[in-house]
Amino acid sequence: MRPRILIAALSAGIAVAAAGCAPTGGALGLDAVADERAARAEARVDALLASYAEYLTDRWPGILLPETTVEAWLGPGVWTTAFQNCASDAAGRSVVVDVDAGITTIPPPQTAGELRDVETAIYLCQGRLPPPGLGVSDPGPVEIAWVSSYARDALPTCLRRQGVTAEPLPADPFAILSGGATPGWDPYAAARGDAPELRRLQALCPHPSVLLASISAVGEPTGEEPR
């Protein structure tokens, strides 16, 4: 049964490049990063559905596929149960997801029509509740451009207003995306011996990774960058 596609997406995600490129002018902001993440996540869902739809239409000529839109991006801890409930309701029988065994039903389909209904339910629910793996992606060009701009200009400017000079930035912007403790670059080095001052600077002039963490992998902005 083709539902193995879904298990693969849950485990590792699907690498699909979203269309478009980084803007050449204008001010980049977290909203632009959020928009890019959302577009890339949507493209990964579209690719998964297109692949599964091709399988369904080949397997079941004349099948009418239901329209489906993303209702929620759920974490691995809750996705399986939610997906099983969705697919079970749509298929009219208990659907069980297992990373090793794949997707099974209780009772198993006994006719071609029942099997078609199960596979259609899987299509519908993977569009409503995409596998968590589809929310995983490398940084896109807008995000990389934002990191470079923020770390080279906005963050040093913010720190200078507080009387601190930031260390020079690494040449590779990917290094900044890896986490709060970037090897070889510490914009708060001048305050490392003063814990209260360090906390103040980090709150007023956040590290780019802190701001990026305030946006979900699928483009829900919750934070603001310093002006």
Side-chain angles (χ1 to χ4, degrees):
M1 185 186 293
R2 187 62 173 237
R4 278 289 182 182
I5 294 176
L6 179 60
I7 298 301
L10 169 62
S11 301
I14 291 181
V16 178
C21 57
T24 57
L28 290 173
L30 288 179
D31 285 348
V33 175
D35 289 344
E36 178 185 55
R37 288 187 178 185
R40 287 160 65 87
E42 181 180 355
R44 292 191 293 275
V45 174
D46 288 346
L48 177 62
L49 291 178
S51 176
Y52 197 37
E54 181 180 4
Y55 159 76
L56 290 174
T57 53
D58 287 344
R59 182 177 176 85
W60 309 108
I63 188 174
L64 296 177
L65 295 178
E67 293 187 5
T68 182
T69 58
V70 174
E71 294 181 356
W73 286 88
L74 303 176
V78 296
W79 176 84
T80 299
T81 298
F83 179 86
Q84 289 176 161
N85 291 340
C86 175
S88 297
D89 289 343
R93 65 187 60 233
S94 179
V95 175
V96 179
V97 177
D98 185 275
V99 172
D100 296 320
I103 296 178
T104 59
T105 65
I106 304 172
Q110 299 298 315
T111 67
E114 289 176 352
L115 178 58
R116 182 195 59 213
D117 290 345
V118 169
E119 295 188 340
T120 303
I122 292 169
Y123 173 88
L124 172 69
C125 294
Q126 69 186 3
R128 289 180 177 175
L129 304 170
L134 295 186
V136 179
S137 176
D138 290 333
V142 172
E143 185 166 336
I144 294 171
W146 176 85
V147 167
S148 298
S149 175
Y150 176 84
R152 294 183 190 284
D153 300 318
L155 180 56
T157 297
C158 181
L159 289 171
R160 280 197 301 271
R161 290 171 180 162
Q162 304 303 319
V164 174
T165 299
E167 287 188 344
L169 186 71
D172 181 9
F174 279 100
I176 312 166
L177 297 170
S178 61
T182 305
W185 183 60
D186 182 6
Y188 314 104
R192 284 295 171 185
D194 186 339
E197 176 64 5
L198 177 61
R199 289 193 295 270
R200 186 183 74 87
L201 291 175
Q202 290 174 329
L204 291 173
C205 307
H207 190 283
S209 64
V210 173
L211 292 173
L212 289 174
S214 71
I215 306 173
S216 79
V218 294
E220 298 171 357
T222 59
E224 294 184 358
E225 57 197 286
R227 303 302 179 189

